[in-house]
Amino acid sequence: MYWNERYECMPAAELQELQLERLQATVRRAFFDVPFYRRAFQEIGLEPGDIKSLDDLQRLPFTTKQDLRDNYPYGMFAVPMSEIVRIHSSSGTTGKPTVVGYTRHDIDVWSELMARALVCGGATRHDIIQNAYGYGLFTGGLGIHYGSERLGASVIPISGGNTKRQVMIMKDYGSTVLTCTPSYALHIAEVMAEMGIKPEEIKLRCGIFGAEPWSESMRQEIEKRLGISAVDIYGLSEVIGPGVGIECQEKNGLHIFADHFLIEIIDPVTGKQLPPGQRGELVITSLTKEALPVIRYRTRDITSLIPGPCPCGRTHPRVARFTGRTDDMLIIRGVNVFPSQVESVLLEMGGTEPHYLLIVDRQGSLDTLEIKVEVSETLFSDKVRRLEDLEKRLRHELESTLGISVKVTLVEPKSIQRSEGKAVRVIDKRKI
Ligand code: DLL
């Protein structure tokens, strides 16, 4: 049930002591080995010795993605290049990608954390793990791969894409765990159904899905279609990659591995820490990273701390399912809209497929939101009346959830582009 019980279930006081010791070492390393941090600390008159308690974390300045970009590619590294054994980078959908580096020790810690994450998510060394996260600069593929090997499971390094082959291998090789983005899992399920293969004919029992936001209803949909139990895994390249946090079998929030990552939830506007239960931006400080220590890194990911202990026995803090990023929140006619809200409505209503696209545009001075959604095969061939009814019901439900008027366009099954990695859910024509 645990990979490393001593650390995963460490009593709170002991964990805090370890965190403080590691925080002080990280701050020292950042100050002495990264000119960017030294300058940032000196600007506010802060010295490493000033960090005397975990509360002093709040005295440290934030680090942003822009800081990494300004120091592109290697300027934030705390070790000489001769110590770097691996380079990855973030997906970089906007602007220059950020480049991250790992020492041999970093890779060792990452593999260990990934093994821990896989066990927490339900995998064992007896599993056959079909790893359909992309291998390459993206951290998903190699992160899961090294963790699976550390765990001692049998990993199939299939990477993303070639979906029919994914299904064939899943069936023939007897894969028991699938790792990929939730949107790709859904696509695999769809192709499996097209190939006439039923969930009972495969050995898959567990899915470890992340790298993009997904709703609780999407989990249920994927679980049903593949006949598995699915958990949510979180991470980001700037901090390490996958393995920052994951759900346990309780499926009630993601445990953040707090012996390696110190977390805060802040109000993204004021920068002040928020109490458990309140949604805000997740900020992470790495505690053991050598090559690229990050101090109070603003992830832009939105979540909240879940108060109280978890029945699984792990003492590490839990955060709620991510609702999106501060920068993928759409502001439409002054109202905040997250694509995940649309996803929940569509899945709860039924009659449609969980494939959708939000198209934001501007007519004159007025923002418009069109939601394209695929209807299910049976309904599509049905009477026009029923389609009109569905469209009306969807529009009503979406408008009351989002608080703005929307246009719903029902489109043919399989007409929205499928994802093999991170799904594109929004086209904002106002920015083009
Ligand atoms: O997506 C690392 C990863 C790989 C995580 C495999 C999980 C599984 P990046 O490409 O740097 O790294 O993108 C990181 O993806 O800041 C979030 O916005 C988003 N993200 C990652 N996991 C989740 C999740 C990898 N479980 C960015 N829920 C992060 C919601 C997620 N968003």
Side-chain angles (χ1 to χ4, degrees):
M1 183 182 177
Y2 308 116
W3 172 252
N4 188 335
E5 188 170 350
R6 168 161 155 56
Y7 283 93
E8 291 173 68
C9 304
M10 203 175 234
E14 207 183 315
L15 181 61
Q16 281 168 13
E17 208 176 298
L18 179 71
Q19 287 176 322
L20 178 60
E21 207 177 281
R22 290 180 166 180
L23 173 66
Q24 289 169 328
T26 297
V27 169
R28 264 196 309 275
R29 195 173 325 124
F31 184 86
F32 290 111
D33 299 335
V34 187
F36 164 83
Y37 282 120
R38 184 196 298 250
R39 265 197 315 274
F41 293 179
Q42 280 173 342
E43 259 169 38
I44 52 168
L46 193 103
E47 290 193 2
D50 295 337
I51 304 301
K52 296 195 173 69
S53 72
L54 286 178
D55 278 345
D56 289 332
L57 177 67
Q58 292 179 73
R59 299 178 58 187
L60 292 163
F62 291 118
T63 309
T64 63
K65 198 175 182 82
Q66 190 57 42
D67 295 326
L68 289 175
R69 284 199 179 122
D70 292 345
N71 291 281
Y72 177 86
Y74 305 138
M76 300 282 271
F77 288 8
V79 297
M81 286 309 283
S82 55
E83 298 291 311
I84 300 284
V85 301
R86 176 97 67 81
I87 291 167
H88 278 286
S89 98
S90 75
S91 353
T93 37
T94 50
K96 267 221 161 88
T98 41
V99 180
V100 299
Y102 302 76
T103 63
R104 196 169 296 285
H105 181 256
D106 288 335
I107 295 287
D108 191 48
V109 169
W110 189 19
S111 311
E112 193 62 21
L113 285 178
M114 268 313 309
R116 191 196 278 189
L118 290 168
V119 171
C120 186
T124 73
R125 59 186 295 269
H126 304 292
D127 276 304
I128 299 177
I129 301 181
Q130 180 157 341
N131 185 17
Y133 283 112
Y135 280 64
L137 280 175
F138 176 52
T139 50
L142 284 171
I144 302 276
H145 185 101
Y146 272 59
S148 305
E149 287 193 349
R150 179 64 61 95
L151 168 62
S154 318
V155 58
I156 305 173
I158 190 164
S159 195
N162 204 340
T163 312
K164 275 196 175 146
R165 194 179 58 151
Q166 297 272 359
V167 176
M168 184 196 81
I169 283 183
M170 192 179 286
K171 187 161 180 276
D172 295 352
Y173 296 14
S175 311
T176 51
V177 175
L178 174 65
T179 54
C180 60
T181 58
S183 57
Y184 192 44
L186 191 66
H187 184 35
I188 292 178
E190 185 178 56
V191 171
M192 191 170 101
E194 278 168 15
M195 290 165 73
I197 298 170
K198 297 201 173 57
E200 308 82 78
E201 295 172 56
I202 56 168
K203 294 219 173 84
L204 210 62
R205 59 174 192 85
C206 165
I208 298 181
F209 305 136
E212 64 184 3
W214 53 312
S215 60
E216 188 56 40
S217 344
M218 181 68 99
R219 175 189 348 242
Q220 283 160 19
E221 192 68 31
I222 298 174
E223 287 186 332
K224 190 176 77 196
R225 291 184 186 210
L226 285 173
I228 59 169
S229 163
V231 297
D232 190 6
I233 180 168
Y234 171 78
L236 63 168
S237 339
E238 295 88 331
V239 171
I240 204 166
V244 173
I246 189 166
E247 284 179 329
C248 62
Q249 300 310 296
E250 299 293 323
K251 297 190 197 172
N252 182 16
L254 297 92
H255 286 281
I256 301 289
F257 295 143
D259 48 340
H260 294 270
F261 310 106
L262 201 51
I263 59 163
E264 306 163 76
I265 305 287
I266 62 156
D267 177 324
V269 180
T270 64
K272 292 272 174 283
Q273 284 185 1
L274 293 173
Q278 271 194 40
R279 271 208 300 169
E281 179 180 348
L282 177 67
V283 171
I284 305 180
T285 301
S286 68
L287 295 176
T288 49
K289 273 179 70 194
E290 289 182 343
L292 184 66
V294 286
I295 308 264
R296 302 194 85 196
Y297 185 71
R298 295 194 54 161
T299 65
R300 300 194 259 189
D301 294 321
I302 300 167
T303 180
S304 59
L305 275 169
I306 298 181
C310 181
C312 80
R314 288 178 182 83
T315 50
H316 293 202
R318 273 175 305 159
V319 297
R321 182 179 273 288
F322 292 85
T323 41
R325 299 170 56 84
T326 49
D327 48 0
D328 69 18
M329 180 183 80
L330 296 161
I331 303 181
I332 301 170
R333 271 169 270 148
V335 176
N336 300 344
V337 174
F338 282 104
S340 55
Q341 290 174 291
V342 173
E343 180 174 301
S344 298
V345 171
L346 295 179
L347 282 159
E348 274 154 31
M349 291 250 333
T352 61
E353 291 293 304
H355 300 285
Y356 62 93
L357 193 60
L358 277 68
I359 302 167
V360 191
D361 207 347
R362 180 166 286 153
Q363 273 169 12
S365 60
L366 201 65
D367 294 333
T368 57
L369 172 61
E370 178 186 4
I371 296 165
K372 281 196 172 158
V373 53
E374 283 181 16
V375 276
S376 55
E377 203 86 53
T378 41
L379 209 77
F380 193 71
S381 48
D382 218 321
K383 293 198 184 72
V384 178
R385 263 289 303 284
R386 282 194 58 194
L387 285 177
E388 280 172 357
D389 266 7
L390 176 66
E391 187 197 305
K392 219 188 270 165
R393 278 191 299 126
L394 274 176
R395 180 153 44 84
H396 178 77
E397 204 56 41
L398 283 163
E399 287 182 345
S400 72
T401 302
L402 304 179
I404 50 166
S405 59
V406 300
K407 176 177 177 212
V408 172
T409 310
L410 298 177
V411 297
E412 260 181 75
K414 310 210 172 73
S415 60
I416 291 175
Q417 170 126 34
R418 297 296 185 255
S419 117
E420 294 178 349
K422 299 187 190 236
V424 177
R425 305 283 194 204
V426 179
I427 297 176
D428 195 340
K429 293 186 174 165
R430 298 174 300 184
K431 291 185 182 153
I432 299 172

